[in-house]
Amino acid sequence: MAVSAGLADVVAGPTAICDVNGQLGQLFYRGYDIRDLARESSFEEVVWLLWRGELPSASELATFRAELAAQRRLPDQVALMVDRLAAMNATPMPMLRVATTLLQVEDPNADKVAEGAERQASVHLVARFPTILARYQRRHQGLEPVEPSPNADQATAYLTMLHGTPPDELDRQALDILLILLADHEFNASTFTARVIAATLANVYSAIDGAIAALSGPLHGGANEQVMHMLEQIGSASHARSYVENLLAQKKRVMGFGHRVYRSEDPRAGILRQIARELGERKQDTHWFDIATQVEETVWNAKHLYPNVDFYSAPIMHQLGIPTDLFTPTFAVSRVAGWTAHVLEQHANNRLIRPRGDYIGPAPRPYVPLSAR
Ligand code: CMC
């Protein structure tokens, strides 16, 4: 049996949702180039596309936006649990998992592995993740939660619930594009986790719970928070080169660089670099962008590694006023769209996912009784 460390280059199954061309640096959702989607569409359009395979008509989009907006409010018990976890100083990723589990408890149809019930659960998850995070953050700061607006789009709703005031158009657009770009990425670690769980015929909430756990690690979604800590430690663009060279001399990884699949630039990183620059210029503070570009140049010169999607996500989220410990949960606000699309696809044509291990332990040997050890 062929063995591939970390399942590198292993094709684990068919999917019609997302295609990554690592050699050419291309990414498609359902056949649409990510660059076109970032420029032309909205997060809500992309969620619909990922779930249903086609772009929505104008009336379908209007109905879907209204459906998401109507579902943003948290069930009382979930809201209370978020408050309690904020009071306990729980970190936001485990808090999001607890809240997801509680959404399952509150859903009488949670265990129905039927498309209608799973689609409804997916609407609940996508609609409520921003409310959960914003409520947690407000409580954590000793502020009153902001009620979800009954007709705002996802990006506006999240930033409004977080900051208490609606974002300006540039901030709204920056977050909307970030949410589009992060929404899916084929069989990445968290999505694959969701599919493995779904393939046991566990329900959509359980799959998403596992996916959040997988996303949290610094080699995956947790990288964006590590990038921000690094930019803060560097402090100014003039220190970036020595900081990075020192890191590499110690054989440490520079967070936000490298990728399992891309062998040329991740198309999302290029779009995000531009947004990070625009936000900095508009806010008359290119400090973070300047540090980031110096880091990028140094890593390229030393290792020929490209930045991945998490690198420029960090200065963007920072400039949108999102606290660093909400960066990875904010990634989940977007990726939950892809996770749920993959659960729906897995359940539509299910087979248990159960690979083999390459046994490297001792050969069969006689049992040694306790008295003889
Ligand atoms: N900094 C320094 N060296 C690196 C880095 C990095 N960020 N990434 C890869 N390398 C080197 C690595 O040391 C190895 O070199 P050598 O062959 O000399 O030992 C070579 O590149 C291949 O690395 P690998 O670990 O075998 O590659 P992988 O495909 O298993 O890992 C990765 C991919 C993303 C885990 C890795 O690039 C990494 O740790 N990056 C930093 C964490 C990060 O930014 N994660 C976000 C991933 S993309 C978006 C997401 O999923 O959220």
Side-chain angles (χ1 to χ4, degrees):
M1 277 187 290
V3 177
S4 171
L7 298 183
D9 297 324
V10 169
V11 177
T15 178
I17 299 172
C18 178
D19 187 28
V20 182
N21 185 325
Q23 293 301 328
L24 298 179
Q26 293 174 332
L27 170 61
F28 301 89
Y29 294 167
R30 303 275 190 189
Y32 292 103
D33 193 308
I34 194 71
R35 289 167 295 196
D36 295 337
L37 292 170
R39 200 178 48 248
E40 306 285 346
S41 77
S42 62
F43 178 66
E44 287 81 356
E45 273 189 64
V46 163
V47 179
W48 179 283
L49 174 69
L50 292 172
W51 286 353
R52 294 174 182 257
E54 298 297 336
L55 290 167
S57 68
S59 71
E60 284 169 338
L61 181 60
T63 309
F64 184 52
R65 275 185 200 276
E67 186 185 5
L68 282 178
Q71 291 300 333
R72 266 188 201 116
R73 208 170 178 287
L74 300 180
D76 291 345
Q77 291 304 321
V78 180
L80 280 174
M81 180 58 82
V82 170
D83 294 353
R84 202 162 300 161
L85 288 165
M88 289 166 68
N89 283 327
T91 49
M93 284 299 266
M95 182 280 299
L96 190 58
R97 277 169 41 211
V98 174
T100 300
T101 302
L102 212 54
L103 287 177
Q104 167 175 339
V105 173
E106 289 274 322
D107 181 350
N109 295 318
D111 281 324
K112 290 197 181 129
V113 183
E115 211 197 320
E118 294 204 317
R119 214 176 272 278
Q120 193 53 44
S122 303
V123 169
H124 288 166
L125 288 160
V126 168
R128 292 171 184 174
F129 272 22
T131 322
I132 291 167
L133 297 182
R135 184 176 183 102
Y136 161 87
Q137 180 59 23
R138 304 277 301 178
R139 287 291 190 213
H140 202 61
Q141 292 175 299
L143 299 169
E144 274 304 304
V146 175
E147 282 301 307
S149 146
N151 45 29
D153 63 279
Q154 192 85 338
T156 302
Y158 183 34
L159 291 176
T160 307
M161 289 188 286
L162 208 50
H163 300 316
T165 49
D168 65 23
E169 182 51 20
L170 192 66
D171 283 3
R172 188 205 68 77
Q173 224 177 37
L175 182 60
D176 194 44
I177 295 173
L178 185 66
L179 295 178
I180 291 170
L181 298 180
L182 292 172
D184 197 40
H185 208 241
E186 199 219 47
F187 282 22
N188 63 89
S190 56
T191 302
F192 189 58
T193 303
R195 289 193 78 127
V196 170
I197 295 171
T200 69
L201 295 184
N203 67 33
V204 61
Y205 295 98
S206 307
I208 302 317
D209 195 356
I212 299 168
L215 186 75
S216 66
L219 295 188
H220 189 13
N224 56 16
E225 297 182 9
Q226 301 305 320
V227 170
M228 198 63 223
H229 294 316
M230 173 177 71
L231 298 180
E232 281 168 341
Q233 275 171 23
I234 293 172
S236 88
S238 60
H239 295 150
R241 190 167 147 197
S242 58
Y243 181 97
V244 170
E245 285 176 350
N246 190 27
L247 215 57
L248 292 173
Q250 296 174 59
K251 304 269 176 240
K252 291 192 177 153
R253 286 179 183 234
V254 189
M255 303 314 280
F257 286 84
H259 201 275
R260 175 61 67 76
V261 181
Y262 289 112
R263 290 296 159 256
S264 51
E265 187 174 74
D266 176 339
R268 302 167 300 175
I271 299 169
L272 293 175
R273 184 191 294 107
Q274 181 59 23
I275 295 175
R277 180 206 297 271
E278 281 169 19
L279 281 176
E281 283 170 357
R282 203 274 318 255
K283 291 175 197 269
Q284 292 176 336
D285 177 11
T286 56
H287 171 69
W288 300 112
F289 181 74
D290 295 340
I291 301 175
T293 50
Q294 278 302 307
V295 171
E296 184 179 354
E297 192 181 306
T298 312
V299 175
W300 179 257
N301 289 338
K303 298 277 290 186
H304 278 203
L305 286 171
Y306 292 99
N308 57 48
V309 75
D310 289 314
F311 187 63
Y312 284 102
S313 293
I316 291 175
M317 289 197 217
H318 184 80
Q319 291 181 96
L320 293 177
I322 298 173
T324 305
D325 66 353
L326 282 194
F327 284 10
T328 312
T330 301
F331 191 157
V333 164
S334 166
R335 185 57 60 86
V336 67
W339 291 334
T340 45
H342 280 268
V343 172
L344 291 168
E345 187 181 62
Q346 183 66 39
H347 282 168
N349 188 16
N350 191 57
R351 190 167 187 216
L352 181 76
I353 298 172
R354 201 294 190 195
R356 294 298 314 274
D358 177 30
Y359 180 69
I360 56 164
R365 48 186 171 161
Y367 179 76
V368 182
L370 191 54
S371 58
R373 274 177 257 155

